[in-house]
Amino acid sequence: MTENANNGWKLLTLVGPDRAGIVAEVSRVLFGAGAALGEASMMRLGGVFTIMLMVRMPESVVDLKGLLESVRNEFKLRVHVDEVSAGLHRHVDPDVQITVHGADRAGIVSEVTGALALAGLNILNLRSDVAGSREKPIYIMTIEGVAQQGIEALEQAVSRLSPDMRVTLSPIDIVRG
């Protein structure tokens, strides 16, 4: 696919109970319809599986949701489609990773991401999980992003965060081949 052929991308989002075969069936139906697939993010969160997938369909397919109706029914998925101004080869590499560990409590994500945003972090990926036990849950968050105002600004921001959190900031060296 050429760069000037990036018009017509849609962002397909599917959400439903986790079950083996979802990715295989979605990709089989899309391939069968002649779809081009771009960037994708697929993950399981709390027993729920979600897919976000850039899709470009041939002009003969006007209803992406309708195309996936049998898959939606079989896997009990919710389907959402957005028209997007997107294209291939627009990937942005993160230059910093921040890891946060702390006793699980309301407001951790807001506190951390707010401080990082003020220090110029453009968040590209954020993953979180709760570990520990029901009695003593530990919140773990990993953020990758671009330090638009430099690593030092982020270091200053995390140094002012609540002392009940352990925050690690690590530069990411990108190796290009």
Side-chain angles (χ1 to χ4, degrees):
M1 211 160 286
T2 62
E3 181 61 28
N4 62 4
N6 285 338
N7 301 341
W9 286 102
K10 294 175 178 30
L11 182 63
L12 172 64
T13 306
L14 301 146
V15 178
D18 187 28
R19 188 173 134 197
I22 296 172
V23 174
E25 190 61 15
V26 168
S27 60
R28 182 193 67 75
V29 169
L30 293 173
F31 176 73
L37 305 183
E39 295 178 25
S41 178
M42 303 178 195
M43 66 178 44
R44 182 181 190 278
L45 298 169
V48 176
F49 187 73
T50 184
I51 299 172
M52 291 187 312
L53 175 64
M54 286 176 47
V55 178
R56 193 171 74 196
M57 300 299 301
E59 290 183 22
S60 61
V61 180
V62 293
D63 184 13
L64 182 54
K65 275 178 121 170
L67 178 70
L68 293 165
E69 186 66 17
S70 65
V71 177
R72 185 188 72 74
N73 288 331
E74 179 182 350
F75 290 96
K76 297 177 178 54
L77 300 171
R78 289 183 305 283
V79 178
H80 183 81
V81 178
D82 286 300
E83 300 284 336
V84 291
S85 175
L88 303 179
H89 311 291
R90 294 185 185 174
H91 180 78
V92 176
D93 289 317
D95 61 7
V96 65
Q97 179 175 316
I98 298 106
T99 305
V100 178
H101 292 84
D104 189 24
R105 62 171 171 78
I108 292 175
V109 175
S110 176
E111 180 181 347
V112 172
T113 60
L116 295 172
L118 288 174
L121 181 69
N122 179 20
I123 295 175
L124 301 175
N125 298 299
L126 186 151
R127 293 177 310 278
S128 66
D129 201 356
V130 178
S133 65
R134 286 190 192 272
E135 297 76 34
K136 290 189 175 183
I138 299 169
Y139 192 77
I140 303 165
M141 180 169 46
T142 303
I143 301 169
E144 294 176 338
V146 176
Q148 296 174 327
Q149 296 174 16
I151 301 290
E152 298 77 24
L154 297 176
E155 289 172 336
Q156 290 175 4
V158 299
S159 73
R160 294 188 293 269
L161 291 171
S162 176
D164 68 340
M165 292 182 279
R166 188 176 78 222
V167 181
T168 306
L169 189 144
S170 306
I172 298 173
D173 293 323
I174 304 299
V175 176
R176 301 193 191 278

